[in-house]
Each structure stands twice: as C-alpha cells, then as structure tokens.
Amino acid sequence: IQPPEKPLQAEEWNRLKESFQSPELFEEVMFNNMIRCNSPIDVAKSLLTHVAKSNGDIAYNLLVKYLALCVQQHQTSEIRDVYDIMKSRFKMLESGAYNLFIRGLSNSDQWRMALTLLEEVKKLMIPSRTNYESCITAASRHQEMNLAFELYHEMLAKDLVPTLDVLQALFVFSRGMEGAELQKELFGILLYLRENQIYPHKTLMRNIKLWFESIPGGKWRGHLTNIKDSGQCPVCNHQLENSDLTEEEYSNLRERIIRDVIHGTDTFRKTSPQEFEAFQTFVENRLPFDIVIDGLNVSHIKPRKTQCENLFHAVNCLAKENVRLLVLGRKHMLINSSNWRREIMKEMQNKADFFFAENISEDDAFLLYATLRSGKHCKFVTRDFLRDHKACLSDSLTRHLFRKWQRGHQIVMFSSFFIQQPAFRFDCVVQTTGDTWHIPYKDTFEEKYSYRVPRKWLCLQQKR
C-alpha cells in the first residue's frame, strides 16, 4: 500500500485499513512503507494520532518505526519528543531504539544528549559499535578531540572493532589542529592498523595524507608510490622492514603459539588431548616438512571439481623434487566415495605424508604446530585467516610477529589455482622511523581478501 501524501482524518485512515487484506497488520505495514518512501513527518504523525485515539495508546514497535522515520529526516525535536514519551511509558528500551536515538541525536545540535544516552546504555548492556561511533563522530565534528579519543579507547577496551569510517572522521576533524597529545593519538591509530594488518582504502589514505600535511609547523609531505622489490622506497630511499623474522623472534613466536594457542584453552574444545599427542608423535618422527597443507580447506577450492581432484591438483602443484609435504586430512577421506576416490588418495599418499584427524577436529592447531616445528623455512597452505588464534595471543608484540610470520609463510590458493607465494623481501604493513611513515593501501575497502597484499603505498616524510 502506497502511503498517502498528506495527513488523513480518522475516517479516511479507517477506510484505508478496512480495504487492507490483513487489517491487524495495517499500521505496521503502513509505517514500513512510510520509512521506505521517506513520507512527510506530518503524514506519519496523523497515523500515530489516529492509533492513539482508537486504541488509547501506541505500541512500542510503532513508536520505534516512527522514530526511525524521524531519524531518517533529521527531525531533532520529534526525536526528543519520542524519547520523552518512550521513557515515561516503558520501563526499559531495547538496543534498537537506543541505536536510533543515539544516531539521530548525534547528527544534530543536541549531540551531547547522545552522550547521555550512551551512559544510559552502558548501565544496561555493552553499547554497540554504532553507538560508540555515532558519539565519536559527533565529538570530532565539534572539535572535541579529547572526548572523541576517550570514547575510541573505551570502544577498543570493549573489543569493538572500529570501522574505517570512524578512523577517517578522527583524521578529517583533526586537520590543522595543534597539540602533541592529539598527534600521539592519531599516530596510535596508524599503529593500530599496523598491529591488526589493516590496509586503509584510498579515501582514508588521502585523509591521512591531508592530516599529516596540515600539522602546524610539521613540514610533512606525502607521495603515492610503489615500493621496489628490494624494499626500497623510491621517494625517500628508505629501506622498509624485512619480512623475515630473526631467529630469536621466530623461537619466541613458536614457544608462545605452542603455549598459548595449542596448549591454551582453544584447541582441545575441538580435538582430544590423546589425538593431539598422537599427532605430535607423528610429526616429531617425520620432521622437518617444507609445506603443510590444510587438506579439507584446499579441497573446496573449485566447486565444480570433486574434493579429491582439488586436493590432488594442489599436491601436484607443490610436490617438486625433494619438497616434503604434509597434508592434514580427516578420517572420512579414507572412505571410498565420489568425493574421495580411493585410487587418487593412494596416489597422493605416494607424494606426501598424510595425517587423518577425527572428523570433528579443528585443523588450525595441527597446521600451526607442524609448520612451526618444521622451522623457519616451512610454509603452510590454507585460505583461512587464522584470526581466532591471533586473538589468543595476549600481547601486541606477539600478535604482530604472528601476523608478520603469517604474511611471509602463508600460501593462498585461489580457484584459478594461482598460488600466491610471498614474493616480497619487505614487510607489507604500516611502518615508521619517526620522520617517515609508509602506509600500504588498497583502492577499495575489502574485508574479504586481506591476505592479498597491496602494491600501492603512501610515503610520508618530514622535512627537517
């Protein structure tokens, strides 16, 4: 049903409702359509008034729908009125209503009230990422950067991952502002990108560049460039960080992963201690491997091929002379079926060592253990990000080493069977020497393929 273009009288609303096939859903459907068509507020208000007169009150869900329309149209005084009505009528509001109130008010001159509502939400639940980001953006827009960063740190402490949009707002609204503390905070965001291997998109990168160049008396200059294969920046001639871990870094990382991730809490939820012990013995007797393959993960790479054909292709691609392969499989692969043909499985077992885990086991811990025990040269093949394991590592230095090791050792297969070997001798991550910053960026934001390393860089140099 098309919403009316002007407010209606009670009998007109009644006539419309009677002609509707499910009269009991009329108001709800009508409000949904008003939101979709962005109907004038006075039309929506006339329906609310009609409902209040007919029923004696207005249901919670209809008020929330009316609120959504007010937020959509930046109707600040209406948002305030709905808040007063809902607070007086309902003991508690749920997160959806709070999201709308905070979003609507933070975009208005009443933005401080959004902060009050954020405090209210904290007493009831953990505020959502959008609650925080609405308030951070509002504070930034009004140049209250201390407040914005206080909320930003609070958000990180609650393990909420900021969107690139909110990070961009912090750079945009800090432009041209003085203060060593503010600079430190913004450098902190760049280090956050480094630690979490996040590559900014072009728009964020441009705003980072503009912020640097706007620092009063900072004398920063930014240039877009491509780093040479040797790792040297053609703009400032600076040599980027090496992608290899030192022996000491490698052994520290290996100990930490074996202690925190493999023997920590998260492995044995999906595998039994006995199975893992058997796997360790299996690996120790056959060390070292050159490449460890997550068999199940790779077997799904091309949907039109059977799983064993996919895995067979991967093993053939990687089985060069004297390369020792370990494939992590599952016991169901040993049962002859259309997906797992026995003769192909036999042929693969001539080219690689196989370990078959229980069908309910989690492969990641096996993959990490075998790769790290084999030594610094050993690579691994999976299309997974291994994000969960990074989260188990308690300090940021180890997390950084884990990501660095992952960037240098993970081979990713795509459906075209292109194998991405880490080609760079330099580490593709945000880095600084104090008077230079090098920031890798992508043309567009892509959450999905963050193992595809960007080729484009922003070089920032401080001229003394």
Side-chain angles (χ1 to χ4, degrees), residues 112-126:
R112 285 192 184 279
M113 187 175 167
L115 300 175
T116 313
L117 294 188
L118 182 66
E119 291 308 313
E120 221 171 275
V121 173
K122 283 185 208 169
K123 291 178 186 141
L124 302 168
M125 58 191 117
I126 290 182

Side-chain angles (χ1 to χ4, degrees), residues 95-117:
S95 60
Y98 273 119
N99 281 345
L100 285 166
F101 281 125
I102 290 175
R103 194 169 93 223
L105 291 165
S106 63
N107 277 325
S108 75
D109 56 353
Q110 311 259 317
W111 65 279
R112 285 192 184 279
M113 187 175 167
L115 300 175
T116 313
L117 294 188

Side-chain angles (χ1 to χ4, degrees), residues 45-284:
K45 223 173 181 174
S46 84
L47 177 55
L48 271 195
T49 313
H50 171 63
V51 170
K53 283 182 180 158
S54 312
N55 304 350
D57 70 351
I58 303 167
Y60 182 94
N61 65 326
L62 289 189
L63 278 169
V64 171
K65 287 183 192 298
Y66 176 65
L67 171 63
L69 187 63
C70 295
V71 169
Q72 198 166 293
Q73 298 184 12
H74 306 292
Q75 300 276 352
T76 310
S77 61
E78 286 298 313
I79 296 171
R80 288 291 307 250
D81 291 350
V82 177
Y83 178 73
D84 294 338
I85 293 167
M86 290 184 82
K87 280 304 276 187
S88 62
R89 287 218 15 231
F90 304 107
K91 265 207 195 79
M92 259 179 78
L93 307 182
E94 41 67 73
S95 60
Y98 273 119
N99 281 345
L100 285 166
F101 281 125
I102 290 175
R103 194 169 93 223
L105 291 165
S106 63
N107 277 325
S108 75
D109 56 353
Q110 311 259 317
W111 65 279
R112 285 192 184 279
M113 187 175 167
L115 300 175
T116 313
L117 294 188
L118 182 66
E119 291 308 313
E120 221 171 275
V121 173
K122 283 185 208 169
K123 291 178 186 141
L124 302 168
M125 58 191 117
I126 290 182
S128 69
R129 166 162 84 176
T130 49
N131 292 162
Y132 271 109
E133 296 202 340
S134 298
C135 292
I136 291 169
T137 308
S140 305
R141 197 182 296 117
H142 293 87
Q143 306 269 288
E144 299 227 4
M145 301 315 296
N146 289 350
L147 173 59
F149 275 105
E150 201 178 303
L151 292 167
Y152 167 71
H153 288 299
E154 206 174 282
M155 176 184 173
L156 291 183
K158 290 187 164 65
D159 283 333
L160 297 167
V161 176
T163 59
L164 295 188
D165 288 347
V166 83
L167 301 182
Q168 184 162 296
L170 290 165
F171 279 101
V172 169
F173 294 115
S174 300
R175 213 176 284 166
M177 289 178 78
E178 296 203 33
E181 197 50 42
L182 177 64
Q183 272 186 48
K184 198 172 141 204
E185 289 286 11
L186 289 153
F187 289 158
I189 292 180
L190 297 176
L191 296 173
Y192 172 83
L193 296 179
R194 170 188 171 89
E195 189 180 308
N196 292 284
Q197 194 185 328
I198 298 166
Y199 301 122
H201 49 60
K202 202 185 256 171
T203 335
L204 173 53
M205 176 278 296
R206 284 210 182 104
N207 282 300
I208 292 170
K209 177 178 182 289
L210 288 170
W211 171 74
F212 267 96
E213 293 176 342
S214 80
I215 297 172
K219 296 195 178 120
W220 285 95
R221 275 287 152 268
H223 296 275
L224 308 187
T225 186
N226 291 17
I227 304 294
K228 298 174 184 169
D229 287 345
S230 64
Q232 193 182 44
C233 169
V235 178
C236 66
N237 296 325
H238 177 72
Q239 187 68 33
L240 295 194
E241 290 172 35
N242 194 318
S243 59
D244 281 344
L245 271 61
T246 64
E247 289 299 339
E248 189 184 355
E249 285 175 332
Y250 180 76
S251 63
N252 284 346
L253 179 69
R254 183 168 75 181
E255 275 167 38
R256 284 297 300 275
I257 287 187
I258 288 172
R259 191 183 78 207
D260 293 2
V261 177
I262 294 173
H263 295 311
T265 49
D266 91 322
T267 312
F268 298 130
R269 275 182 299 188
K270 308 248 177 71
T271 177
S272 68
Q274 294 78 4
E275 180 180 46
F276 201 74
E277 241 166 70
F279 174 68
Q280 284 176 291
T281 311
F282 173 91
V283 168
E284 297 302 322

